[in-house]
Amino acid sequence: MVRATKQRKTIHHVLVKYRRPLSVSEILKLAQSEVAGLGIATVYRNLKALQEEGQVIQVDLPGQSPRWEVTPGGHHHHFLCRKCDKLFEIHDCPRDIQRILPKGYILEEHDVLLRGQCDACSRTANTRQPKATAE
Amino acid sequence: MVRATKQRKTIHHVLVKYRRPLSVSEILKLAQSEVAGLGIATVYRNLKALQEEGQVIQVDLPGQSPRWEVTPGGHHHHFLCRKCDKLFEIHDCPRDIQRILPKGYILEEHDVLLRGQCDACSRTANTRQPKATAE
DNA sequence: GTCGTTGCAAAGCGTTTGCAGCCTA
DNA sequence: TAGGCTGCAAACGCTTTGCAACGAC
C-alpha cells in the first residue's frame, strides 16, 4: 500500500505549484522549505514512484540532467529559454516532419526542442536575467 | 604544439571510418583493437581536443550519454533507430517551426530528433536486430 | 504493531583530473 | 632533449542502494 507521507505530498505539490519542468535540485530546495531535513534520496525515490503511478513524467533534454513535471495533457514539445534557463511547453507541432524522412525509414516518434528567448526575457532585451529556474 | 600520437590518430580514424555518431565506450572498444592498452581517459582527452580543433562534434541526445562524430557539413537533424540504436543524420529540416512558437518568444535554434526504424531494420520487420551500435 | 518510507552513508557510473613516466617532434 | 601525451588511480557530480529508525494506517 502506498503511504501519503508529508515528503511525498510536498514533492508532488511543488511540481503542481510551479507548472513547468523542474530539476531534482530545484525540487529538493523547494520541498526542503516545506519539509526540513528532506533528503535527496527521498526526492529521487518519490519522483520514480510518482512516475510509475503516472502522476509525473521525466523530461530529458540533450546534454542536461533530467527535469520533472506533472503529466501533461497530450503530445507537445518544449521551448528552452537561453536567458533564464526555464523550460516551457509548446502545445503545437510541425506538420511536415514526415517529408524529411529518408526513403525506407519508418517514423514512430519525434522530439522538437526550440531554444531562444521566452516572452519575459525578450521584453527585457539587454537586461541580464537571473539563471535561477525556480522562483 | 599538438602531437600526432598513435592514440590520437586512431581515435580520429575510428570516427572517420564509421561515419556516424559513436559513444565513448564504442570508440574505446574500436580503438583498443588497434592500440592495445588505450585508456578511457585518453579517449575523453582526445575527443575534447579534436572538438576544440573543430574536427569532431559532440552529439547530445535526450537521456543518453553523448556520442561523437566527425564534424558534419551544415545544419542537420538526427534519426535514432529504436531497433539497432544507431544514429543517422537527416540533411533536411521542417519548414514550419516558426509557426508553433508562442507570441513574444524569439526562436534562435531548434533540434529535431526522429525515432523509429532505419531502412535496414524496417526491411527485416519482425527479426530482432542486435543492439550493438558498433559493427 | 506492521511494514512502507525516510535520512544517512556508501556504492555505482560516467567523466575529469593529478601525476610520474613515456615518446613525438 | 623538452614538454606534450599517456595510463593509472583518485576525485567528482549525479543517481541509486543498504540499512536501521521512523511513522502512516
Side-chain angles (χ1 to χ4, degrees):
Chain A
M1 181 202 295
V2 176
R3 289 181 185 173
T5 61
K6 63 179 188 297
Q7 289 88 343
R8 176 163 305 174
K9 281 185 281 186
T10 301
I11 289 164
H12 186 246
H13 175 246
V14 162
L15 290 172
V16 170
K17 181 176 175 189
Y18 286 86
R19 311 174 103 265
R20 61 184 169 76
L22 301 176
S23 67
V24 172
S25 59
E26 286 177 300
I27 295 165
L28 177 66
K29 195 179 303 178
L30 293 166
Q32 274 178 336
S33 69
E34 299 182 38
V35 180
L38 175 65
I40 186 77
T42 300
V43 175
Y44 279 107
R45 280 189 283 234
N46 277 298
L47 287 173
K48 185 165 283 186
L50 288 165
Q51 184 181 38
E52 277 162 15
E53 292 170 29
Q55 306 231 42
V56 307
I57 62 162
Q58 183 174 352
V59 181
D60 286 318
L61 300 189
Q64 299 202 355
S65 44
R67 307 185 187 209
W68 296 81
E69 67 179 333
V70 293
T71 307
H75 180 74
H76 65 284
H77 297 295
H78 288 110
F79 183 98
L80 179 63
C81 180
R82 298 166 87 188
K83 271 196 165 180
C84 66
D85 199 44
K86 284 180 193 158
L87 189 66
F88 302 89
E89 284 182 14
I90 306 279
H91 294 283
D92 202 344
C93 190
R95 292 179 192 136
D96 60 343
I97 287 186
Q98 190 75 40
R99 202 201 76 237
I100 71 174
L101 206 67
K103 202 187 284 186
Y105 284 54
I106 298 171
L107 182 61
E108 296 174 349
E109 286 178 7
H110 66 271
D111 284 347
V112 177
L113 175 62
L114 309 182
R115 292 176 219 258
Q117 292 179 42
C118 69
D119 188 35
C121 289
S122 68
R123 290 173 193 277
T124 57
N126 296 312
T127 317
R128 185 163 300 280
Q129 297 288 311
K131 262 265 178 173
T133 56
E135 60 183 11
Chain B
M1 181 202 295
V2 176
R3 289 182 183 170
T5 62
K6 63 179 187 297
Q7 288 88 345
R8 175 163 307 172
K9 281 185 282 188
T10 302
I11 289 165
H12 185 246
H13 174 246
V14 162
L15 291 173
V16 170
K17 181 177 175 188
Y18 286 86
R19 312 173 102 264
R20 63 185 168 76
L22 301 176
S23 67
V24 173
S25 59
E26 286 178 299
I27 295 166
L28 177 67
K29 194 180 302 178
L30 293 166
Q32 274 179 338
S33 69
E34 298 182 38
V35 180
L38 174 66
I40 185 80
T42 300
V43 175
Y44 279 107
R45 280 188 284 235
N46 277 298
L47 288 172
K48 185 166 284 187
L50 288 165
Q51 184 181 37
E52 277 162 15
E53 292 170 29
Q55 306 231 44
V56 307
I57 63 162
Q58 183 176 351
V59 181
D60 285 319
L61 299 189
Q64 300 202 355
S65 44
R67 306 186 187 208
W68 295 80
E69 67 178 333
V70 293
T71 306
H75 179 76
H76 65 285
H77 297 296
H78 288 109
F79 182 99
L80 179 63
C81 179
R82 299 166 89 188
K83 270 197 167 180
C84 66
D85 199 45
K86 284 181 193 159
L87 188 66
F88 302 89
E89 285 182 14
I90 306 280
H91 295 283
D92 203 342
C93 189
R95 292 180 190 133
D96 60 343
I97 288 185
Q98 190 74 41
R99 202 201 75 236
I100 71 174
L101 206 67
K103 204 187 285 186
Y105 284 54
I106 299 171
L107 182 62
E108 295 173 350
E109 285 179 8
H110 65 271
D111 284 348
V112 177
L113 175 62
L114 309 182
R115 293 176 218 257
Q117 292 180 42
C118 69
D119 188 34
C121 289
S122 69
R123 291 172 192 278
T124 58
N126 295 314
T127 316
R128 185 162 299 279
Q129 296 290 309
K131 262 266 179 174
T133 56
E135 62 181 10

